[in-house]
Each structure stands twice: as C-alpha cells, then as structure tokens.
Amino acid sequence: DLRALARFALFAHDDLTVAEILRGPFCDVGEASLFDLAGATPTRPGLWATLKTRAGERVEWDHALSLLETARAMADRDAFGFFSGLLNRIDTQGLTGRVRMLNRLGAEAAEAIDETLNLVLAGEGRGAVDLETALARMETAEVEVKRELEGPRGQVRVMTVHGAKGLEAPVVILPDTTG
C-alpha cells in the first residue's frame, strides 16, 4: 500500500495503482463504490481524473481525493519524509495512515510498516533519497520480515511446517495433504 502511494505520487495516471489505493486500507473505498466511480465507459478520462471530478458525490471519494492530493504534493520530499508523512497524516476521521493500516491488516502489519521505513532509511544512507529511486529499490529488494512469535494471543495461526519448526502450541492441526 505504501509502494502504491509512491507509484501514484510519481505516476498519477496509472488506473490500476489508483484502484489499488482506493480499495486499500488508506481509503477503504468499497468494491461497488469503485465500480460506480470507474464507470463502464471505455473512453473515460482515467480514474484519477474521474475522482477529481466526482469526489464531491460521496464522502469516501472525497476522503480518497484528499489523501491522493496530499501524496502528490509530498512527492518532492525525501523518501522517508514521504512515507512517514503519509503514515502520520491525520484524516478527516481523526485516523492516521498507520492506524488505518493496522485496523485493516492487523497488528502484525506494524512490523512490515517498520521494515519498509527501515528499508527506506537504509536506502537514503546509500544515496536513494528521492522517492523515485527509493521506490525502484523497494520494488526490486527481496525483504523477508521474520516475526518472533510471542505467547498465546487467542488467535489461530496458519503457518507452513518450515515456519512452525521448533514452536510449541497446545493444539496443532495437521491436514492430510497427501490424499
């Protein structure tokens, strides 16, 4: 979602990226609402242009327009300033981008968000200060976030055998996958 916002800030006329952001945790535009916005006309001017024109018709579109305009305005900042600014931006509902992501994706997303910011900071240390260079490095980097599993939290965990190696749990379900 953060990479999509960076792609949009740099290349606003990519309809797939705009749709990805609209459906993502930063905007939470429903599927039906997105289809209403996009319309069925093949000659439409593009999703970004349509959003700018029709944002006043629905609250969620207006919220999305505000976020996307902010992202475009922040595109000339350093990469860390861009991402941290969007994560700390308080929207009309009083929520930050970080809180929106955690509400939608769960508390585990915090580690991925932090790792993304660490990656951007490390890139800045190697000269990738501008957003375009940082985005290019992020999209080609092979980063794997390993989580330390703490005590029981009343949740069901779905894991690979490799990922669960060495862990203990009171209940373990092993499906028969050989049949």
Side-chain angles (χ1 to χ4, degrees), residues 154-172:
Q155 298 175 334
V156 174
R157 296 181 186 155
V158 178
M159 307 177 79
T160 64
V161 172
H162 178 71
K165 185 173 41 178
L167 298 178
E168 295 181 19
V171 177
V172 176

Side-chain angles (χ1 to χ4, degrees), residues 4-167:
L5 279 167
R7 276 193 310 272
F8 169 78
L10 296 168
F11 314 106
H13 300 292
D14 178 2
D15 283 351
L16 184 58
T17 299
V18 175
E20 181 181 351
I21 295 167
L22 293 176
R23 290 286 292 135
F26 282 101
C27 294
D28 274 333
V29 171
E31 190 172 312
S33 183
L34 177 59
F35 281 127
D36 290 346
L37 178 65
T41 315
T43 59
R44 64 183 173 75
L47 197 50
W48 170 233
T50 303
L51 179 65
K52 289 193 291 187
T53 304
R54 298 182 59 197
E57 295 176 24
R58 296 191 186 174
V59 174
E60 67 266 24
W61 295 350
D62 192 48
H63 164 75
L65 178 64
S66 174
L67 170 75
L68 294 177
E69 286 178 334
T70 300
R72 294 274 299 170
M74 294 171 60
D76 60 346
R77 287 188 182 183
D78 62 285
F80 185 80
F82 175 82
F83 291 114
S84 62
L86 290 173
L87 286 168
N88 293 319
R89 175 184 172 270
I90 299 173
D91 64 19
T92 56
Q93 297 171 338
L95 301 174
T96 64
R98 184 180 187 90
V99 168
R100 283 185 158 280
M101 289 188 77
L102 296 177
N103 287 347
R104 172 94 170 262
L105 304 174
E108 294 81 15
E111 293 176 28
I113 294 168
D114 293 342
E115 189 59 34
T116 300
L117 292 175
N118 289 336
L119 182 65
V120 170
L121 277 176
E124 285 186 359
R126 292 187 304 275
V129 177
D130 66 290
L131 186 59
E132 189 170 2
T133 304
L135 178 62
R137 287 190 177 183
M138 285 173 62
E139 291 187 333
T140 58
E142 292 184 25
V143 177
E144 184 176 333
V145 178
K146 295 206 177 222
R147 294 182 50 229
E148 292 297 324
L149 297 174
E150 57 283 345
R153 298 189 317 189
Q155 298 175 334
V156 174
R157 296 181 186 155
V158 178
M159 307 177 79
T160 64
V161 172
H162 178 71
K165 185 173 41 178
L167 298 178

